[in-house]
Amino acid sequence: MRRKMAAGNWKMNGTSADLDEIDALGDAVPDPGCEIVICPPATLLHRMAARCDGGPVAVGGQTCHSAANGAHTGDVSAAMLVDAGATHVIVGHSERRQDHAETDAAVRAQTLAAWDAGLTAIVCVGETEAERDALNTLEIVGGQLAGSVPDAATGENLVIAYEPVWAIGTGRTPTLTDIGEVHDFIRTALERRFGEGVGRSVRILYGGSMKPGNAAEIGAVSNVDGGLVGGASLKAADFAEIVRALS
Ligand code: PGA
């Protein structure tokens, strides 16, 4: 059985005062029925991990460089994330793919670096609105999956997040049928490539305008194993509702 996961992606939001949201989340869901990961900006990672120590909330980075160290101004390596207390890292988010021109090959290299450091990689895939309109969703998602995920995947080191780019931060979501179609497609692709055992054990999260009002129905769709949540993860009250809905 795959344990559901509620992952919060704070993106470039949050300063010291927002660390209190972590305490509020712990108070709101002291005994969560699903795995919780919060990915704050790198500046908060270490302090957040310290606050979460010993509790049910894990902490993750939002990206990592593919190299362990070196002359890469502004970047953070996977080993540095581990040193700061992270156990997970998001790689290949569409905002990274767009803003930093990250290719599938780059995301694959980052995933390998994450695994080398012992992190669980949350690899993001998803189509743009133009790609969906052109009926290319499954082709795009299949290509990203094949190109971004390295061969040594397991149910522990890999989580996939399906995030339609047009649903991120827009309040729009695909129909439940459309979500199910893509998640079933990803499951089949994982089983074909990695075998049934591994393919069935990898969690597939949905991301893109997940909120308290839709988390339960999306979480009940076939092969949806949780959510990667942006805006609605910033406030503990909202995120706690999503955690309950996914539990
Ligand atoms: P959103 O972002 O929940 O604000 O749509 C999701 C994401 O980009 O991970």
Side-chain angles (χ1 to χ4, degrees), residues 10-11 13-28 38-53 57-60 62 84 233-237 239:
W10 279 21
K11 309 191 180 185
N13 298 292
T15 52
S16 303
D18 298 295
L19 289 168
D20 289 344
E21 294 300 320
I22 284 300
D23 301 331
L25 181 64
D27 292 343
I38 302 284
C39 302
T43 47
L44 294 183
L45 200 65
H46 191 250
R47 280 175 290 165
M48 188 181 283
R51 286 211 194 192
C52 294
D53 194 29
V57 178
V59 172
Q62 297 178 7
S233 72
L234 295 171
K235 288 290 161 221
F239 196 58

Side-chain angles (χ1 to χ4, degrees), residues 160 170-171 190 193-194 196 220 236:
I160 300 294
T170 60
L190 292 172
R193 180 162 167 206
F194 299 110
E196 280 192 0

Side-chain angles (χ1 to χ4, degrees), residues 9 11 93 95 163 167-169 208-210 228-231:
N9 174 12
K11 309 191 180 185
H93 191 281
E95 287 152 16
E163 300 206 307
I168 294 175
S209 297
M210 187 180 265
L228 178 56
V229 184

Side-chain angles (χ1 to χ4, degrees), residues 104 125-128 131 136-145 185:
D104 287 334
V125 296
E127 83 286 0
T128 64
E131 289 162 348
N136 283 336
T137 296
L138 299 184
E139 191 187 326
I140 293 294
V141 168
Q144 290 175 336
L145 207 56
F185 170 81

Side-chain angles (χ1 to χ4, degrees), residues 86-221:
T87 50
H88 295 68
V89 62
I90 299 168
V91 289
H93 191 281
S94 60
E95 287 152 16
R96 300 287 313 175
R97 290 178 186 264
Q98 279 172 356
D99 296 357
H100 299 270
E102 290 184 359
T103 61
D104 287 334
V107 176
R108 186 178 183 283
Q110 292 166 5
T111 305
L112 282 172
W115 290 352
D116 274 352
L119 293 169
T120 296
I122 302 174
V123 178
C124 302
V125 296
E127 83 286 0
T128 64
E129 185 153 37
E131 289 162 348
R132 173 161 284 269
D133 289 346
L135 306 179
N136 283 336
T137 296
L138 299 184
E139 191 187 326
I140 293 294
V141 168
Q144 290 175 336
L145 207 56
S148 305
V149 177
D151 287 333
T154 69
E156 285 78 47
N157 69 16
L158 178 69
V159 174
I160 300 294
Y162 167 56
E163 300 206 307
V165 177
W166 53 274
I168 294 175
T170 60
R172 296 163 59 206
T173 54
T175 65
L176 299 179
T177 306
D178 287 345
I179 293 173
E181 183 190 21
V182 180
H183 279 244
D184 288 350
F185 170 81
I186 294 172
R187 177 71 60 212
T188 302
L190 292 172
E191 286 178 8
R192 286 213 179 112
R193 180 162 167 206
F194 299 110
E196 280 192 0
V198 169
R200 283 187 188 163
S201 63
V202 173
R203 265 88 54 93
I204 308 172
L205 312 183
Y206 169 78
S209 297
M210 187 180 265
K211 49 185 187 266
N214 63 19
E217 59 179 16
I218 293 175
V221 171

